[in-house]
């Protein structure tokens, strides 16, 4: 039985980060993947979604820029580039690269069958290791909708079918109004699909600041998307080449495809850990502040149910590899940005004003219409949109939250993210010198608007 320094189960962003850093440090590593090296993000989520969203964004930018003619979307060309970006669902080069670096690449489902030392079975072979890192990600949360089991993947799409689509449907029913639903819904709408979004909560993106939710709802109305709030799909039936859905309010919606964007479920219960005395939190692996599940057992990414984002999985991978290599690294999830790559982009970080008040913080807030105070929105578009909101702790003079709505908000939200993570005094932020003209200048005006 071969013994290794570490076995990484699941080669998504978290697993790849650990494997890369341990291999660089000269450790003997086995990597296990039952699907494709790169994980959900690389093939069916972040990478294809953002690739698909970019051309409609460019067309919108062109429509808004002075002196630019109408831009045309060419689906065959976009589809071909999407296929290139997801490697044509082929990870052979990735596997070869790991093998050339000395990794043992194992294909198939892994089970952890022993401990002290940890023992992992893949197929008929077993391996032992000083450290096992679990990065098995998450699966689609399938809601309890009557008739769902009778629909096939031609009309019932998860993110996988949606991001690898070959033809643009005439109509789509998107179930879920969070980031995935918004991104996929807006992409389809801007490609000419008639889109209906059904959201169980009272607002789209209802975990964020209500004002931000209002702005994205207004944008969806501009895009011609129909939105049902406070509503659920109760039953579905096959209707010719499409699907007929009945909503909780009695409405009936017919669509060519139905897209499930209802959330994700960790895959921590498929490894046999419960039989070895490892206590799970539902289907998630509970980790301590070092991303440790048990001595020598670690977890990163969605399987931990901690801020289920790719950037958090990669961060946890760095935390784990540091600890395995002997450097004490405590995970800190303060200031994790949350972005929806819609157009305009939506970004947030830290606490909402309601969350801050629930924690007993003496809250000060401000909202700034950036089109009224900055040059940058107008140098980009003839009819620009852009807003910045701040949430501050009045007693301590620091930011605890922020949200942004505007072009490339994913980039300039990081000023707030860094300030919140490091606890930078608002007085210091007010004394910075941002580049002119940029959206980042808006922070000076938004900070001055805080009632401190």
């Amino acid at each position: 039985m071969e013994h290794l320094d570490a076995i990484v189960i699941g080669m998504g962003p978290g697993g790849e980060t650990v494997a890369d850093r341990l291999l660089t440090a000269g450790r003997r590593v086995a990597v296990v993947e039952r699907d494709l090296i790169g994980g959900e993000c690389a093939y069916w989520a972040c990478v294809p979604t953002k690739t698909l969203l970019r051309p409609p964004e460019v067309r919108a930018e062109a429509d808004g820029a002075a002196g630019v003619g109408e831009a045309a979307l060419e689906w065959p060309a976009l589809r071909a580039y999407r296929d290139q970006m997801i490697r044509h669902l082929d990870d052979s080069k990735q596997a070869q690269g790991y093998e050339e670096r000395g990794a043992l690449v194992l294909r198939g489902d892994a089970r952890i069958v022993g401990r002290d030392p940890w023992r992992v079975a893949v197929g008929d072979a077993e391996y032992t290791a000083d450290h096992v890192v679990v990065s098995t990600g998450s699966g689609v949360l399938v809601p309890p909708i009557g008739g769902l089991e009778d629909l096939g993947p031609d009309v019932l799409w998860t993110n996988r079918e949606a991001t690898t689509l070959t033809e643009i449907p005439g109509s789509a029913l998107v179930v879920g109004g969070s980031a995935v639903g918004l991104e996929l819904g807006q992409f389809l709408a801007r490609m000419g699909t008639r889109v209906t979004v059904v959201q169980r909560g009272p607002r789209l993106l209802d975990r964020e600041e209500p004002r931000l939710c209002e702005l994205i709802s207004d944008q969806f109305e501009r895009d011609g998307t129909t939105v049902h709030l406070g509503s659920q799909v109760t039953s579905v039936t096959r209707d010719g080449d499409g699907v007929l859905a009945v909503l909780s309010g009695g409405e009936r919606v017919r669509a060519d495809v139905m897209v499930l964007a209802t959330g994700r479920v960790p895959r921590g219960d498929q490894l046999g850990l419960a039989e070895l005395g490892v206590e799970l939190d539902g289907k998630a692996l509970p980790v301590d502040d070092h991303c440790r599940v048990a001595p020598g057992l670690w977890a990163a990414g969605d399987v931990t149910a901690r801020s289920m984002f790719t950037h958090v999985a990669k961060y946890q991978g760095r935390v784990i590899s540091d600890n395995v290599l002997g450097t004490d690294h405590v995970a800190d999830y303060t200031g994790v940005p949350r972005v929806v790559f819609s157009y305009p982009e939506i970004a947030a970080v830290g606490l909402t004003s309601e969350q801050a008040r629930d924690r007993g913080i003496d809250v000060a807030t401000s909202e700034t219409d950036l089109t009224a105070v900055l040059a940058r929105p107008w140098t980009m578009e003839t009819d620009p949109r852009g807003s910045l909101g701040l949430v501050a702790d009045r007693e301590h003079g620091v930011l605890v939250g922020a949200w942004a709505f505007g072009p490339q908000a994913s980039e300039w939200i990081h000023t707030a993210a860094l300030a919140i993570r490091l606890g930078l005094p608002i007085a210091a932020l007010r004394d910075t010198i941002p580049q002119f003209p940029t959206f980042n200048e808006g922070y000076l005006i938004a900070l001055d608007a805080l009632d401190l």
Side-chain angles (χ1 to χ4, degrees):
M1 188 181 302
E2 184 172 358
H3 183 79
L4 301 112
D5 294 316
I7 299 174
V8 180
I9 303 173
M11 287 295 284
E16 283 207 281
T17 299
V18 175
D20 175 70
R21 289 165 66 95
L22 295 186
L23 288 168
T24 299
R27 299 301 194 266
R28 177 65 171 148
V29 178
V31 299
V32 187
E33 178 54 58
R34 70 178 186 180
D35 210 331
L36 295 173
I37 293 174
E40 197 81 13
C41 174
Y43 300 96
W44 301 285
C46 315
V47 171
T49 302
K50 280 52 175 178
T51 300
L52 292 171
L53 284 165
R54 179 56 181 155
E57 178 183 57
V58 170
R59 185 175 67 173
E61 290 175 344
D63 290 344
V68 179
E70 183 177 355
L73 292 172
E74 298 180 358
W75 170 239
L78 171 53
R79 180 177 59 199
Y81 186 64
R82 183 273 317 274
D83 291 344
Q84 176 184 328
M85 287 296 293
I86 62 174
R87 307 163 185 164
H88 299 277
L89 300 181
D90 178 5
D91 69 347
S92 56
K93 289 185 178 179
Q94 283 64 45
Q96 180 182 348
Y98 279 110
E99 289 172 345
E100 290 175 350
R101 295 181 64 189
L104 177 62
V105 178
L106 304 173
R107 297 290 192 172
D109 289 309
R111 285 190 65 81
I112 301 176
V113 295
R115 59 190 300 177
D116 302 322
W118 293 102
R119 195 166 80 251
V120 176
V122 183
D124 297 329
E126 292 188 9
Y127 308 84
T128 59
D130 297 328
H131 301 278
V132 170
V133 180
V134 178
S135 182
T136 49
S138 61
V140 174
L141 173 63
V142 179
I145 297 174
L148 205 61
E149 66 280 359
D150 297 326
L151 302 181
D154 58 328
V155 296
L156 180 61
W157 289 3
T158 66
N159 64 291
R160 290 199 169 196
E161 290 79 17
T163 56
T164 57
L165 81 171
T166 57
E167 299 298 334
I168 302 297
S171 56
L173 170 61
V174 178
V175 185
S178 59
V180 173
L182 295 186
E183 290 182 354
L184 292 176
Q186 191 176 65
F187 163 72
L188 291 171
R190 295 198 164 204
M191 294 299 294
T193 302
R194 297 185 306 278
V195 175
T196 300
V197 176
V198 177
Q199 164 70 333
R200 182 175 62 179
R203 301 182 299 274
L204 294 176
L205 215 64
D206 59 1
R207 295 183 181 179
E208 298 296 347
E209 199 71 47
R211 177 60 179 144
L212 186 56
C213 304
E214 290 177 9
L215 291 169
I216 190 58
S217 293
D218 177 66
Q219 183 60 55
F220 266 50
E221 288 183 14
R222 294 183 181 209
D223 292 341
T225 298
T226 300
V227 178
H228 293 272
L229 299 175
S231 180
Q232 301 182 62
V233 177
T234 58
S235 66
V236 291
T237 54
R238 188 87 188 207
D239 183 35
D241 293 333
V243 59
L244 179 65
V246 178
L247 308 187
S248 52
E251 304 93 335
R252 297 162 71 88
V253 179
R254 199 272 177 195
D256 294 330
V257 296
M258 177 174 167
V259 183
L260 294 182
T262 45
R264 308 284 299 182
V265 180
R267 291 196 191 108
D269 60 335
Q270 303 174 10
L271 299 166
L273 285 169
E275 290 88 335
L276 298 177
V278 176
E279 185 175 348
L280 276 63
D281 182 7
K283 295 186 177 183
L285 294 184
V287 293
D288 65 13
D289 57 7
H290 290 80
C291 296
R292 183 189 295 110
V293 181
L297 180 64
W298 314 80
D302 285 7
V303 74
T304 69
R306 293 277 189 98
S307 297
M308 295 164 74
F309 304 119
T310 293
H311 43 297
V312 172
K314 295 171 74 172
Y315 171 70
Q316 290 174 319
R318 299 196 302 272
V319 170
I320 291 169
S321 54
D322 282 347
N323 285 307
V324 168
L325 294 172
T327 298
D328 185 68
H329 191 163
V330 174
D332 178 2
Y333 301 98
T334 304
V336 175
R338 308 179 296 274
V339 175
V340 181
F341 288 83
S342 56
Y343 186 82
E345 287 184 353
I346 302 164
V349 64
L351 305 175
T352 66
S353 56
E354 181 180 2
Q355 290 168 340
R357 291 187 182 96
D358 288 344
R359 295 191 182 191
I361 295 173
D362 183 8
V363 171
T365 64
S366 69
E367 178 186 340
T368 301
D369 179 356
L370 301 180
T371 68
V373 295
L374 298 183
R376 183 54 176 156
W378 294 95
T379 64
M380 291 188 69
E381 300 181 57
T382 57
D383 185 21
R385 304 188 75 195
S387 296
L388 173 63
L390 300 180
V391 181
D393 180 334
R394 185 179 279 110
E395 179 183 358
H396 296 97
V398 296
L399 291 182
V400 294
W403 58 266
F405 180 76
Q408 300 177 3
S410 59
E411 303 292 340
W412 43 278
I413 194 63
H414 285 85
T415 293
L418 186 62
I420 292 168
R421 187 169 183 82
L422 298 182
L424 295 177
I426 287 175
L429 293 172
R430 283 173 167 164
D431 198 40
T432 58
I433 309 173
Q435 172 68 43
F436 173 88
T438 63
F439 280 93
N440 215 63
E441 285 184 284
Y443 282 101
L444 293 182
I445 298 166
L447 289 165
D448 283 342
L450 289 169
D451 178 18
L452 298 176

